[in-house]
Amino acid sequence: MNLRTLRAFVEVVRQGGFSQAADVVALTQSTVSKAVKTLEDELGTPLLNRLGHKNELTAAGEIAYRRALVLLAEHNDLVAEINDLRGLKRGVLRIGLPPVGCGVLFAAMFAAYRTRYPNIDIELTEYGSKRLRECLEAGEVDLAALLLPADEGFDYQPVRNEPLMAVLPMSHPLARRKRIDFTDLADSPFILFEAGFALNAKILAACERKGVTPRVTARSGQIDFIVDLVSAGLGVAFLPRMLAHKHQHPGIALILLDEPHTDWHIALVWRASAHLPPAARAWLDLAKEMASPV
């Protein structure tokens, strides 16, 4: 069993197939397939149920996948700690950011970081919250920007806390309200982000608390497109206040969402057991220095 084999197996699970995994790990599909077969032979049990083009983890596969993430993370921690010991003149900042809000929050930080640390390479990964957590667990990124609360086993440094705004078309009968809640919007179709975005979970959980079953009419990962759909009258959407104001235009109304436990509270998160390299610690220090008052 070696790390290359484990990496191939993990990516087959993540990507949902051998060909997709091959693209990620820069190997041929047959090599990835052989790697998974080798791992199954070593463990003496099938790890995947191969159903046509679909692959599902067996019970043993679930255990192997979970353990593989830990082993890969430990390897990355080892490399980072040894590099610190060597006192490398160059470093790497490996950071994961979600597509929603990262430009508004972090663009100025990237510019300041590059000016302050010109010899640090920046490896930026952009995914939804669920995938970013997996990247953290596997040690593929040192830090990730995620919504609080953080999962057990993670430490965090808060970055920004913003209330949500309901984004309504100007033609909506409630468009002139100052505040609004999910009971008011029970009959309005919702436009949400794509699956894997943590903001969806906050919205749906708040609806459940109010006894509201939302009718989702569209999903997208692009804020501009979501706002355009709202303006066209397709439904209502929900954005953190700073992002809502950035995308304001005459076709929409922005109303403060009067719902507890729905704030967009974003933080920089890392594994509590991880060795944070100097490049990551420098990013945390800069984030604290540049933090804006809420």
Side-chain angles (χ1 to χ4, degrees):
M1 185 183 304
N2 58 51
L3 293 174
R4 188 183 185 189
T5 300
L6 292 176
R7 169 74 168 154
F9 169 64
V10 164
E11 287 304 330
V12 169
V13 176
R14 281 183 174 170
Q15 306 301 327
F18 288 87
S19 61
Q20 300 95 317
D23 291 338
V24 173
V25 298
L27 297 171
T28 64
Q29 182 176 338
S30 62
T31 301
V32 171
S33 181
K34 288 176 183 176
V36 174
K37 182 63 167 59
T38 298
L39 185 59
E40 290 178 322
D41 290 343
E42 289 184 23
L43 296 175
T45 184
L47 302 179
L48 296 169
N49 285 322
R50 295 164 177 82
L51 308 173
H53 295 293
K54 188 177 180 182
N55 298 284
E56 293 182 351
L57 284 170
T58 63
E62 294 278 1
I63 296 171
Y65 178 68
R66 186 173 69 250
R67 293 289 187 177
L69 290 177
V70 174
L71 290 170
L72 290 170
E74 288 294 332
H75 170 261
N76 287 326
D77 285 349
L78 170 64
V79 172
E81 196 161 354
I82 294 299
N83 284 345
D84 277 0
L85 185 63
R86 290 173 176 169
L88 294 181
K89 294 181 179 179
R90 295 181 62 89
V92 179
L93 172 65
R94 303 182 307 156
I95 186 168
L97 299 180
V100 176
C102 61
V104 175
L105 281 176
F106 297 110
M109 279 184 59
F110 274 112
Y113 190 88
R114 174 61 67 202
T115 299
R116 191 173 296 184
Y117 308 106
N119 293 324
I120 299 294
D121 294 328
I122 300 175
E123 293 182 2
L124 175 60
T125 299
E126 289 185 278
Y127 289 120
S129 298
K130 180 180 178 182
R131 180 67 187 278
L132 284 180
R133 284 188 180 89
E134 291 179 349
C135 290
L136 272 179
E137 290 170 351
E140 294 171 8
V141 296
D142 300 309
L143 300 169
L146 297 171
L147 292 186
L148 294 178
D151 292 342
E152 185 177 352
F154 291 99
D155 284 336
Y156 66 89
Q157 178 177 302
V159 174
R160 184 88 181 191
N161 191 12
E162 288 279 324
L164 290 188
M165 306 287 287
V167 186
L168 279 64
M170 288 301 297
S171 59
H172 197 285
L174 303 178
R176 297 192 179 280
R177 287 278 195 94
K178 297 296 183 184
R179 289 176 174 265
I180 205 165
D181 62 29
F182 286 124
T183 303
D184 300 321
L185 297 171
D187 295 327
S188 298
F190 284 16
I191 301 170
L192 299 181
F193 286 99
E194 293 174 344
F197 284 68
L199 191 56
N200 289 346
K202 283 185 173 287
I203 292 169
L204 296 177
C207 286
E208 186 175 356
R209 289 193 294 269
K210 284 291 184 69
V212 173
T213 303
R215 176 165 54 93
V216 180
T217 189
R219 293 177 182 269
S220 175
Q222 303 297 321
I223 295 179
D224 286 337
F225 185 50
I226 287 175
V227 171
D228 287 341
L229 292 177
V230 172
S231 180
L234 195 65
V236 302
F238 306 93
L239 294 174
R241 179 177 56 191
M242 64 186 298
L243 300 181
H245 287 162
K246 184 176 185 293
H247 291 83
Q248 172 75 67
H249 70 67
I252 62 173
L254 303 178
I255 305 174
L256 188 66
L257 185 64
D258 190 12
E259 291 284 357
H261 310 300
T262 58
D263 282 4
W264 187 71
H265 195 182
I266 197 162
L268 291 165
V269 180
W270 62 95
R271 284 181 299 121
S273 61
H275 170 81
L276 278 181
R281 291 196 295 268
W283 180 268
L284 290 173
D285 291 341
L286 182 62
K288 188 177 295 184
E289 179 183 323
M290 296 182 67
S292 301
V294 178

